[in-house]
């Protein structure tokens, strides 16, 4: 995962591809690391997310719980219809807000073989 900081204390992350049983654990670990390292406010641009299952949703909600315990929140933007339906069914609409797409400095996290890496130079 690569991420950007927008100068307001919010870490911006984009996610692309599938967030599912094969990728959710690594994504969740990276979100937790970002919250610990950069602060509890995270904006996830999900506009390039093609699929999200229950494991993917669990990774996002676990990160939101961690962020809230630290005084922040995880917010989704660019939510596509499939993810919006899942959020409604789980009564988690509060995670999705009408926000601008992620800052151009944010780069997509794409599922890959092995552990995703963060751009630590930001």
């Amino acid at each position: 995962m690569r991420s950007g900081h927008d100068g307001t204390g919010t870490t911006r992350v984009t996610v692309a591809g599938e967030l599912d049983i094969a990728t959710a654990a690594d994504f969740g670990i990276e979100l937790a690391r970002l919250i610990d390292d950069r602060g509890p406010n995270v904006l996830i641009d999900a506009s390039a997310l093609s699929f999200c299952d229950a494991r993917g949703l669990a990774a996002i909600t676990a990160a939101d719980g961690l962020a809230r315990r630290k005084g922040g929140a995880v917010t989704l933007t660019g939510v596509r219809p499939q993810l919006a339906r899942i959020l409604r069914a789980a009564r988690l609409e509060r995670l999705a807000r009408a926000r601008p797409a992620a800052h151009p400095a944010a780069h997509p996290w794409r599922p890959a073989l092995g552990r995703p890496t963060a751009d630590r130079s930001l």
Side-chain angles (χ1 to χ4, degrees), residues 2 11-12 17 19 22 25 28 30 32 34 36 46 59 62 67 83 88 95-96 118:
R2 298 174 123 202
T11 300
R12 295 174 178 263
L19 186 54
E30 289 299 315
L34 285 172
D36 287 340
L83 181 55
R88 272 193 306 277
L95 291 174

Side-chain angles (χ1 to χ4, degrees), residues 5 20 33 43 48 53 59 63 67 75-76 82 86 90 95 101 111-112 114 119:
H5 222 347
D20 58 16
R33 186 193 58 75
L43 178 66
D53 69 6
T75 304
L76 297 168
Q82 184 260 353
I86 291 171
L95 291 174
D119 181 357

Side-chain angles (χ1 to χ4, degrees), residues 8-103:
T8 66
T10 299
T11 300
R12 295 174 178 263
V13 175
T14 59
V15 61
E18 296 183 357
L19 186 54
D20 58 16
I21 192 169
T23 59
D26 286 338
F27 185 68
I29 289 167
E30 289 299 315
L31 284 177
R33 186 193 58 75
L34 285 172
I35 291 166
D36 287 340
D37 292 351
R38 298 186 183 176
N41 292 307
V42 177
L43 178 66
I44 300 173
D45 178 357
S47 61
L49 188 63
S50 60
F51 178 78
C52 181
D53 69 6
R55 295 284 178 111
L57 184 58
I60 294 168
T61 56
D64 183 57
L66 175 62
R68 287 178 182 277
R69 287 190 298 277
K70 293 178 177 260
V74 171
T75 304
L76 297 168
T77 187
V79 175
R80 296 168 84 177
Q82 184 260 353
L83 181 55
R85 284 190 298 274
I86 291 171
L87 291 170
R88 272 193 306 277
R91 297 183 182 200
L92 293 170
E93 299 97 333
R94 66 175 166 71
L95 291 174
R97 294 199 175 89
R99 301 280 290 266
H103 187 274

